[in-house]
Each structure stands twice: as C-alpha cells, then as structure tokens.
Amino acid sequence: AQKITQTQPGMFVQEKEAVTLDCTYDTSDPSYGLFWYKQPSSGEMIFLIYQGSYDQQNATEGRYSLNFQKARKSANLVISASQLGDSAMYFCAMREGRRGNKLVFGAGTILRVKS
Amino acid sequence: KAGVTQTPRYLIKTRGQQVTLSCSPISGHRSVSWYQQTPGQGLQFLFEYFSETQRNKGNFPGRFSGRQFSNSRSEMNVSTLELGDSALYLCASSLEGQGLAYEQYFGPGTRLTVT
C-alpha cells in the first residue's frame, strides 16, 4: 500500500528566508511520481512541482525545489525567499504506476510566513 | 483557457437526502478525478473517470457514485447522506490518462454540509 507522511503539522518562517517541508513516502512500485500542492484558505489546490522516480535531477520551479532522496524515500519541498503569500497548507502526494491518476496525499503542513 | 469549474460551490443538505455535484474539466482533458477532503481524514481519492469509464475507485461505500459524459464533464452523486459526508469535494482534470508526468488541475471545490 502506498503511504505519504508529512511529519510537520505546522511551520513558521520569517519572510525572505528559506523553508523546508518534509515528505516521506512508501511504495513498492519502482515507477511513481511525487507532487507538491499548495492549498490557500480559499480551498483550491495549486500544483507546485513534480518529481518522477526515474528523474536524475531534482525538480525546480521558480522559488520551489524538490530535494529528492530516493534511497531514503524522501521528497522534501524547499521554498526559497518566502513571501507572505506563501502562507497556506502544503500537501505532498504520490501517484503509482502508469495507469490512472489516483493521488495519495499526506496530511499536510500549515506554513505561516511572518513579516 | 478556462480552469476546472465545479458547481455548486456550496450546498447544505439534510441527512438521508441525496446530492449531485458537477465538474467541468479543462477543455481537452479526458481524465476527471474526485477527492473528498475532511479535517479528520484529510484528502481521499474517490474515483477517476477517463473517456466515460471509471478507471480507478477509492475505498468509499456504494453510496458514492459518479459518471462522465461524452464531453468529459463529470458528476458525482451521494445517496442517503450522512453527517460524516460533510466535506470539501474536489474535482481534478488531467490532460492524459496514462503516464506519471501529467499534473492534475483542481477546481475550487464544492463544500457540502449535511445537517
């Protein structure tokens, strides 16, 4: 069974500083994809970044980067130069195999950016 | 390009009633997935439809059902509503049904309250 663990229920970060949100996963499928989503208080899920299990390099998207350590089964999200608008819930999710679009989500981490 | 739309945005129903939620995917997207989000259980996958066929199904009772039309619009139905069905129901669409690198675009959700 697939499982996603986010051990940080809540995090605080000072504006303009970097923050790392932790995510570990468990799967027996060698082919999988890892996603990070942001959910502001409005409720809509916003895609941030994707990492495939066969990708050799860590994914980056603007201020977001994914620290992918395959042997440790971790996929931590790094947000650089935090902004007040980054305050939201962040979810790590995984999709297994090559059929379908079922995502399994972690419990999420609430991030609060302080000015 | 218009995003994923969900109607209605808010809904209040009474125990025992049934409800139908609608999701219109991004134009050209053939895969539609549904998720339930509650404070206690987090984000849970309900089912996925691709080209009018249910391809994946989560662990929900038979009271939860869905369908997809030829224009890829999808509906989900919950019969005999229970208090525990109160949740944010999110719909997501994806460009392609196979492969791992296709992100899912989420709609704003329908917030269902069962009294």
Side-chain angles (χ1 to χ4, degrees):
Chain A
Q2 30 173 223
K3 184 179 178 182
I4 297 286
T5 302
Q6 294 181 254
T7 57
Q8 306 153 314
M11 292 278 287
F12 282 96
V13 64
Q14 196 68 37
E15 194 178 8
K16 299 181 184 179
E17 291 186 350
V19 63
T20 298
L21 306 184
D22 295 340
C23 172
T24 57
Y25 59 93
D26 184 31
T27 179
S28 56
D29 193 325
S31 181
Y32 53 88
L34 297 159
F35 302 76
W36 277 92
Y37 283 88
K38 171 185 177 182
Q39 187 179 42
S41 57
S42 61
E44 189 164 354
M45 300 286 282
I46 301 167
F47 167 78
L48 296 177
I49 197 166
Y50 163 84
Q51 181 84 41
S53 59
Y54 296 119
D55 292 344
Q56 296 297 311
Q57 294 187 328
N58 288 342
T60 60
E61 290 284 350
R63 295 186 298 112
Y64 305 106
S65 61
L66 202 153
N67 184 2
F68 181 46
Q69 298 188 45
K70 195 170 181 177
R72 294 186 176 186
K73 293 190 174 180
S74 74
N76 298 337
L77 176 70
V78 180
I79 305 175
S80 63
S82 296
Q83 302 171 356
L84 295 178
D86 293 335
S87 293
M89 179 73 93
Y90 288 79
F91 290 98
C92 179
M94 179 171 65
R95 184 167 61 198
E96 282 184 331
R98 294 193 175 278
R99 285 191 59 82
N101 284 305
K102 175 185 176 182
L103 286 175
V104 175
F105 285 86
T109 296
I110 299 175
L111 177 67
R112 290 287 177 253
V113 181
K114 301 183 292 184
S115 59
Chain B
K1 199 178 222 183
V4 178
T5 58
Q6 292 187 245
T7 57
R9 292 293 311 278
Y10 302 91
L11 205 50
I12 299 175
K13 289 286 188 179
T14 304
R15 271 182 303 175
Q17 288 186 317
Q18 75 161 12
V19 67
T20 299
L21 311 182
S22 181
C23 171
S24 292
I26 292 172
S27 177
H29 287 196
R30 294 192 296 164
S31 170
V32 175
S33 300
W34 288 89
Y35 294 85
Q36 181 197 63
Q37 185 176 23
T38 60
Q41 299 298 317
L43 277 153
Q44 294 186 288
F45 173 80
L46 280 156
F47 29 64
E48 180 207 2
Y49 286 86
F50 180 74
S51 293
E52 301 179 64
T53 302
Q54 187 182 86
R55 185 161 60 178
N56 279 303
K57 189 177 188 303
N59 297 323
F60 279 81
R63 300 185 296 108
F64 292 82
S65 62
R67 59 177 176 169
Q68 186 179 34
F69 302 94
S70 58
N71 62 357
S72 293
R73 188 177 71 86
S74 177
E75 289 181 347
M76 67 162 283
N77 184 76
V78 188
S79 62
T80 319
L81 284 166
E82 301 177 0
L83 293 178
D85 297 333
S86 294
L88 179 66
Y89 290 88
L90 291 162
C91 165
S93 76
S94 181
L95 179 63
E96 180 56 62
Q98 296 188 3
L100 297 178
Y102 294 102
E103 67 180 87
Q104 293 192 47
Y105 295 85
F106 282 82
T110 293
R111 187 165 295 281
L112 171 65
T113 302
V114 182
T115 62

